[in-house]
Amino acid sequence: MDAVDHAILDVLRADSRTSMREVAERVGVSRSSAYDRVRRLVEGGVIRGFTIDVDPAALGLGLSAYVHVRIKQNSWKSFRARAWDLPEAAHVALVAGDFDCVLLLRARDSDHLREVVLERVQALPEVLGTQTVLVFEEHTGHS
């Protein structure tokens, strides 16, 4: 990857709907070169997909929390599958430290979050314990 590839990634990270003509103009290459470079980045696995950034609050999910989870040894794969089955799960990660996993959950309100954590996450057979951290303010690379 060279500086042009990095510049293309910056443009597409900011708005994945940017036309190839505009991408090419902004990074100083021809449109066919921009197409070829993006195709190569996709085929090489650098670009894993094109997505949208949705405001959870606009969907009625105004409360976010990181839930740190301790799980039984060798249960990551089954825990990951069960965690992704939760409609409220926005991110699931295996981490190092005092906890084994971190979930980013989106909920309507504190009652909904309580129900998800206490009645569904803690009920998973792999879970040994949790700690919930509320998110007061959140910023993505786009905000």
Side-chain angles (χ1 to χ4, degrees):
M1 285 190 38
D2 62 12
V4 173
D5 290 333
H6 284 282
I8 288 171
L9 292 175
D10 289 343
V11 170
L12 293 176
R13 266 193 218 102
D15 183 359
S16 64
R17 292 180 49 179
T18 304
S19 71
M20 257 334 116
R21 179 189 54 74
E22 187 175 341
V23 169
E25 287 175 5
R26 290 178 59 187
V27 302
V29 297
S30 70
R31 195 171 76 181
S32 64
S33 176
Y35 270 114
D36 289 341
R37 285 172 176 268
V38 169
R39 180 186 46 77
R40 193 177 70 240
L41 291 167
V42 169
E43 289 173 356
V46 175
I47 295 176
R48 296 186 295 191
F50 297 86
T51 187
I52 59 173
D53 182 21
V54 177
D55 179 2
L59 298 176
L61 302 172
L63 181 62
S64 297
Y66 288 101
V67 179
H68 301 178
V69 184
R70 262 189 228 95
I71 59 173
K72 294 176 185 173
Q73 285 191 339
N74 302 313
S75 67
W76 162 243
K77 288 182 183 177
S78 61
F79 172 79
R80 179 183 62 201
R82 292 179 204 273
W84 275 124
D85 283 343
L86 298 168
E88 297 83 1
H91 186 86
V92 178
L94 177 66
V95 298
D98 291 337
F99 291 89
D100 304 304
C101 308
V102 176
L103 306 178
L104 173 57
L105 299 179
R106 309 265 189 213
R108 292 183 304 276
D109 52 33
S110 60
D111 289 336
H112 182 204
L113 180 64
R114 184 191 83 46
E115 183 264 325
V116 173
V117 174
L118 298 181
E119 297 177 25
R120 291 198 272 144
V121 173
Q122 289 183 357
L124 296 175
E126 301 86 356
V127 173
L128 298 172
T130 65
Q131 180 181 50
T132 302
V133 179
L134 293 179
V135 175
F136 292 128
E137 189 172 316
E138 185 173 354
H139 300 275
T140 66
H142 306 292
S143 55

